C-alpha cells in the first residue's frame, strides 16, 4: 500500500477554484484541470519504495506480476490498464471522440508506418489502445453526450431563427437517421462563410433571460470559444446535467464534451483523442468521421448499484471498474482486498486505510495504490472511490 504523489494538469479549460477547494487549498492563479492517479507515462504518479520516490509505471514494468497479478498481466500485459482522475471543468472542453480497439490499433500502425512522430501535433493515434471512460459527478456537472435525435436538433436549429440553418434542419427531418446525422455533421465541420457568426448572435439573443439550460450552455460554449466552428457540432449533441453521485459512460465513437463541474473520471489508459472542435489543437475531419458513431440512442445517466458492501458503477468494459464506499463513523471497516491492482481515492471526510500492520490517514484528494493481493481495509467517516480492473475478483 503506497500513498500516491500525484500530478495536477493545468489546462486552459480548468478551474481556479474547484480543485483547490476539493484539496483544501486557496484558489490558484492558473486554471487547474485534472488530478492524475495512475501509471500513464505522460504523468505517472510516484510511490515510495525503499525510501525513494519512483514513477509507478516503472515500478509496474519491473515486476508486473507482483504489482498487477497474473490475471491482469495475461489480459492487459505489463501495464496498469486504467487511469483515475479528478476533473475540474471551469470552461467547456473540446468536442471529442475516442476510437474503438480495432480503430486504435490500425490507426497507430498506419501512422507509425508513415513515420509520424509520436509527439507530432497532427498525430491522431499516440498508442494502440481504446479509451472508454466514465465520469461521476462530485458537484452539479454539465456536459454534452452523444447525438440528439435528428428531429430534436432540427427543432433547436429552427428555434434560433437563422435562415441559413434551414437547409440543415430540413435534411435532419428526412431520410435515414445515420445518413442525416453524418451529412449535417460533416457540413458543420466546414461551415459556409457567415453561418457561424449568425448562430453565435442568435444564441446570445436566445440566452438572454432564458431559463432553458441547454440554450444557456450553448451560449456559454460560444463565448468560451469565439470563432470556433465546433460550436455547430456541439448543437447536435444532447445537453446532460448530472447531480452529485450520478455518472455517464462514454464508449467508442460517442462525441462528447464536458462543460462545467467537478467529477471523478476513470478511463482506459490511453491518449487517443480525435477532436471535432472547440480547440486550438489538430482536427482531422476525414479520420474523425470514420470514428464517430452516427446514431442517437438515449443518454443513460447511471447510478451505482449495491454489491458486497460497496456501490458499483456499471461499465461494459474490463479495462476498469469503478465503485465507492460511503462510510459513517462507527461502522465496521470494509475489506478491499483484490487479486488485481487498485487505487483508493478519498473524496470526502477522513478515512484510514490499513494494510500489513501499516495505517494511512487520507483526506479528500489523497489516493493510495494497492498492489494485487495485498490485504487492505477502509474505515472512518467519508467517501472513497475504488478503481481497479473489470476482471478483478475478490480474494475472500
Amino acid at each position: 500500500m503506497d500513498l500516491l504523489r500525484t500530478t495536477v494538469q493545468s489546462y486552459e479549460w480548468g478551474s481556479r477554484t474547484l480543485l483547490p477547494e476539493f484539496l483544501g487549498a486557496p484558489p490558484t492563479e492558473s486554471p487547474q484541470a485534472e488530478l492524475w492517479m495512475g501509471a500513464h507515462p505522460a504523468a505517472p504518479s510516484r510511490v515510495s519504495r525503499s525510501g525513494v520516490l519512483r514513477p509507478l509505471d516503472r515500478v509496474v514494468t519491473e515486476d508486473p506480476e507482483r504489482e498487477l497479478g497474473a490475471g491482469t498481466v495475461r489480459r492487459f500485459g505489463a501495464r496498469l490498464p486504467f487511469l483515475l482522475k479528478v476533473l475540474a471543468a471551469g470552461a467547456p472542453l473540446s468536442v471529442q471522440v475516442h476510437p474503438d480497439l480495432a480503430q486504435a490499433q490500425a490507426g497507430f500502425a498506419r501512422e507509425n508506418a508513415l513515420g509520424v512522430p509520436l509527439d507530432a501535433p497532427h498525430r491522431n493515434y499516440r498508442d494502440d489502445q481504446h479509451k472508454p471512460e466514465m465520469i461521476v459527478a462530485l458537484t452539479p456537472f454539465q456536459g454534452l453526450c452523444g447525438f440528439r435525435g435528428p428531429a430534436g436538433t432540427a427543432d433547436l436549429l429552427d428555434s434560433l431563427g437563422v435562415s441559413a440553418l434551414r437547409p440543415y434542419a430540413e435534411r435532419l427531418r428526412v431520410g435515414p437517421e445515420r445518413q442525416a446525422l453524418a451529412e449535417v455533421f460533416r457540413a458543420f465541420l466546414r461551415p459556409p462563410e457567415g453561418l457561424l457568426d449568425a448562430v453565435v448572435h442568435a444564441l446570445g439573443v436566445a440566452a438572454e433571460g432564458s431559463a432553458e439550460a441547454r440554450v444557456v450552455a450553448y451560449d456559454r460554449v460560444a463565448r468560451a470559444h469565439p470563432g470556433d466552428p465546433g460550436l455547430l457540432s456541439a448543437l447536435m449533441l444532447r445537453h446532460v446535467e448530472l447531480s452529485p453521485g450520478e455518472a455517464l459512460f462514454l464508449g467508442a465513437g460517442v462525441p462528447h464534451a464536458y462543460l462545467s463541474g467537478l467529477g471523478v473520471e476513470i478511463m482506459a489508459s490511453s491518449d487517443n483523442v480525435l477532436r471535432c472542435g472547440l480547440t486550438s489543437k489538430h482536427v482531422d475531419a476525414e479520420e474523425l468521421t470514420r470514428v464517430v458513431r452516427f446514431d442517437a440512442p438515449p443518454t443513460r445517466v447511471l447510478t451505482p448499484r449495491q454489491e458486497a458492501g460497496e456501490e458499483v458503477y456499471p461499465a461494459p468494459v474490463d479495462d476498469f471498474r469503478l465503485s465507492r464506499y460511503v462510510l459513517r463513523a462507527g461502522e465496521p471497516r470494509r475489506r478491499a482486498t483484490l487479486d488485481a491492482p487498485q487505487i483508493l481515492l478519498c473524496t470526502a471526510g477522513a478515512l484510514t486505510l490499513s494494510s500489513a500492520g501499516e495505517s494511512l490517514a487520507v483526506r479528500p484528494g489523497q489516493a493510495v495504490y494497492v498492489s494485487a493481493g495485498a490485504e487492505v481495509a477502509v474505515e472512518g467517516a467519508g467517501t472513497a472511490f475504488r478503481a481497479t480492473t473489470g476482471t478483478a475478483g475478490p480474494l475472500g
Side-chain angles (χ1 to χ4, degrees):
M1 181 176 70
D2 299 276
L3 183 67
L4 290 177
R5 275 69 171 184
T6 54
T7 298
V8 173
Q9 304 282 30
S10 297
Y11 306 138
E12 60 184 0
W13 50 261
S15 167
R16 290 173 173 81
T17 59
L18 286 172
L19 259 183
E21 287 176 3
F22 176 68
L23 299 171
T28 55
E29 292 185 3
S30 59
Q32 294 191 339
E34 295 178 341
L35 176 70
W36 284 32
M37 293 152 283
H40 193 286
S45 301
R46 294 174 297 157
V47 297
S48 179
R49 294 296 171 89
S50 302
V52 178
L53 284 177
R54 305 194 60 220
L56 184 56
D57 57 339
R58 295 184 187 175
V59 171
V60 167
T61 56
E62 288 174 2
D63 197 347
E65 291 213 2
R66 177 181 180 277
E67 298 297 333
L68 307 177
T72 300
V73 174
R74 282 195 301 271
R75 172 64 183 85
F76 300 104
R79 63 184 186 89
L80 189 68
F82 61 86
L83 175 62
L84 186 66
K85 300 179 181 180
V86 177
L87 179 144
L93 282 67
S94 62
V95 178
Q96 57 189 256
V97 296
H98 306 300
D100 63 26
L101 189 58
Q103 291 166 337
Q105 291 173 340
F108 185 67
R110 181 173 62 251
E111 291 185 334
N112 282 348
L114 292 171
V116 182
L118 280 176
D119 59 354
H122 64 285
R123 179 152 187 148
N124 293 314
Y125 299 95
R126 301 186 186 279
D127 54 63
D128 61 356
Q129 297 296 318
H130 64 166
K131 194 184 177 184
E133 61 187 50
M134 178 184 287
I135 185 80
V136 180
L138 293 178
T139 67
F141 195 94
Q142 292 190 57
L144 305 175
C145 179
F147 286 110
R148 188 186 301 105
T153 295
D155 290 343
L156 174 64
L157 298 183
D158 283 341
S159 73
L160 295 177
V162 177
S163 60
L165 285 176
R166 289 175 189 161
Y168 304 102
E170 291 172 3
R171 183 66 192 92
L172 289 167
R173 294 187 192 282
V174 299
E177 177 180 276
R178 293 186 180 184
Q179 185 176 346
L181 289 172
E183 287 184 11
V184 173
F185 181 83
R186 291 189 181 100
F188 277 173
L189 290 175
R190 297 187 179 92
E193 186 176 353
L195 177 60
L196 183 60
D197 289 341
V199 170
V200 169
H201 175 74
L203 277 173
V205 172
E208 288 183 6
S210 175
E212 188 176 358
R214 69 174 183 179
V215 172
V216 174
Y218 292 132
D219 179 58
R220 183 167 175 261
V221 168
R223 294 174 186 274
H225 296 277
D228 193 313
L231 170 67
L232 300 176
S233 302
L235 291 175
M236 300 181 70
L237 306 185
R238 297 179 191 268
H239 176 245
V240 181
E241 296 180 285
L242 301 179
S243 297
E246 293 181 331
L248 287 174
F249 173 80
L250 299 160
V254 177
H256 61 278
Y258 301 140
L259 302 180
S260 64
L262 185 74
V264 173
E265 186 181 32
I266 190 168
M267 61 190 64
S269 189
S270 169
D271 199 23
N272 285 326
V273 178
L274 288 99
R275 295 173 177 85
C276 313
L278 307 184
T279 180
S280 58
K281 295 182 179 180
H282 176 61
V283 175
D284 185 333
E286 182 177 350
E287 185 65 17
L288 176 66
T289 53
R290 281 201 289 262
V291 171
V292 172
R293 285 179 48 192
F294 292 105
D295 55 15
T299 299
R300 290 184 59 210
V301 174
L302 305 174
T303 54
R305 61 172 184 246
Q306 292 288 337
E307 186 176 304
E310 63 179 343
E311 298 177 335
V312 180
Y313 288 90
V317 295
D318 60 4
D319 304 77
F320 60 78
R321 176 182 183 272
L322 186 65
S323 59
R324 70 178 181 182
Y325 294 107
V326 180
L327 295 97
R328 295 173 178 82
E331 287 187 342
R333 59 170 51 188
R334 308 286 179 86
R335 187 181 181 196
T337 303
L338 292 174
D339 61 359
Q342 53 185 319
I343 293 174
L344 293 159
L345 164 69
C346 178
T347 60
L351 300 172
T352 299
L353 280 68
S354 304
S355 178
E358 178 188 9
S359 293
L360 286 173
V362 293
R363 52 179 171 75
Q366 291 185 313
V368 170
Y369 166 75
V370 182
S371 303
E375 293 187 6
V376 62
V378 187
E379 59 188 325
T383 301
F385 278 81
R386 176 164 75 159
T388 185
T389 70
T391 58
L395 292 181

